[in-house]
Amino acid sequence: MKPANGSNRRQDKQQNIPLAYSFTSIISSVERLLNYSFRNRTLLQEALTHRSSSSSCSYQRLEFFGDAVLGLAFSKYFFLTDPDLPPGSLTDLRAANISTEKLARVAVRHDLYSLLRRDNTPDLDKLVSKFTEEVMREPKELGGHPYGGSTMKAPKVLADIVEAIAAAVYMDCNFDLEKLWKVIRVILEPIVTVETLDQQPVTMLNELCQKHKKKAVFNKYRNGKLNIVKVVVDEQVLGIGSSEQKKIAKLNAARAALQRLETEELALLTGGKVSVAGPELGEQKVWKDRLNVLCRKMGFPNPVYEIEDEQGPDHAKKFMCSVSIGTIAAMGDRKSKVKDAQNSAAFTMFFVQSVQ
């Protein structure tokens, strides 16, 4: 969603002068998005004003109120729509739908940060831009993911905007919770439900391993500013994750391991042969070159390959390699030659990490 009269908005930010017409157009854009007309537009103006702005009161009080309001709205929705849900499930569903990660993706999807009035915030702008780029590279199935999926932590400012808008609507409609839900649900889709709730990946992995009397070990190390986490089960590396944030790196590593185990659970956890579904080796040989070409074309950093694991005697050694591009990492299948293991990692980067 792009507000009208973008040139005036840019002038507003650069000169730190609130131009009435430009902000009126922004308010109109939000009203069209919500299909709701504010009786008191000052509330929405406040909801879209960062604390760095000197033009008027910021969204901080509304954001505080909106956090509680959204929690109540989701609690009521799930309580009424499924009378059989136990308290624990109600808590999980509410937390998943109002998490910073989930609401930040709502803000990205509707380009809400571009509507925020703020003064001289280059660091914040850069952070939001970087997160937005990460989200756009995520697999589609993680679009409403409550536990992230990008390699960086969601900037809180994005979730704050959604919460502040929710509070503004709630106050404007005279604290009518049912009316608020009808209005705000439009932008909150997809709603995380019982059917789509993705349990915390680390918990899922640990429970799966315990079922087979195994233990998942998370090995952590740093590469510059980047945190790298490898999931190891019975001395086999099952997944690798990376992020500037330790927690997100661990989540991504667990998620990568779960993706690998999804089709190989019995073989991997009962000592069978490890094999990742994918093209035959002859078809994989091209992927390292293709990844190099893609990185040059898109202006990405050069791929960096590392040998993550090697097993077997010298005459029959097998290697497992990872590849990283900036803050994104992927790991390939075990191969008898290092170059083949690198090609396998490059293939995984293309089709699992979705960097194209």
Side-chain angles (χ1 to χ4, degrees), residues 145 147 198-206 247 251 254 258:
H145 206 287
Y147 298 111
D198 183 9
Q199 192 178 5
Q200 213 268 14
V202 175
T203 302
M204 286 185 67
L205 180 62
N206 286 331
K247 179 180 178 181
L251 288 171
L258 287 169

Side-chain angles (χ1 to χ4, degrees), residues 308-324:
E308 297 293 343
D309 191 31
E310 54 182 276
Q311 294 184 4
D314 290 340
H315 67 279
K317 196 175 290 292
K318 289 198 172 183
F319 304 89
M320 183 177 288
C321 287
S322 68
V323 59
S324 59

Side-chain angles (χ1 to χ4, degrees), residues 16 45-61 63 113 116-121 124 127 155-158 160-161 164:
N16 191 22
Q45 178 176 323
E46 183 177 330
L48 295 174
T49 302
H50 188 256
R51 63 178 180 272
S52 65
S53 176
S54 59
S55 57
S56 64
C57 186
S58 78
Y59 64 55
Q60 287 180 294
R61 282 174 55 84
E63 174 265 319
Y113 186 73
L116 186 66
R117 293 200 300 182
R118 56 199 187 277
D119 294 339
N120 193 26
T121 56
L124 185 61
L127 184 66
K156 186 177 180 295
V157 64
L158 295 175
D160 289 348
I161 298 170

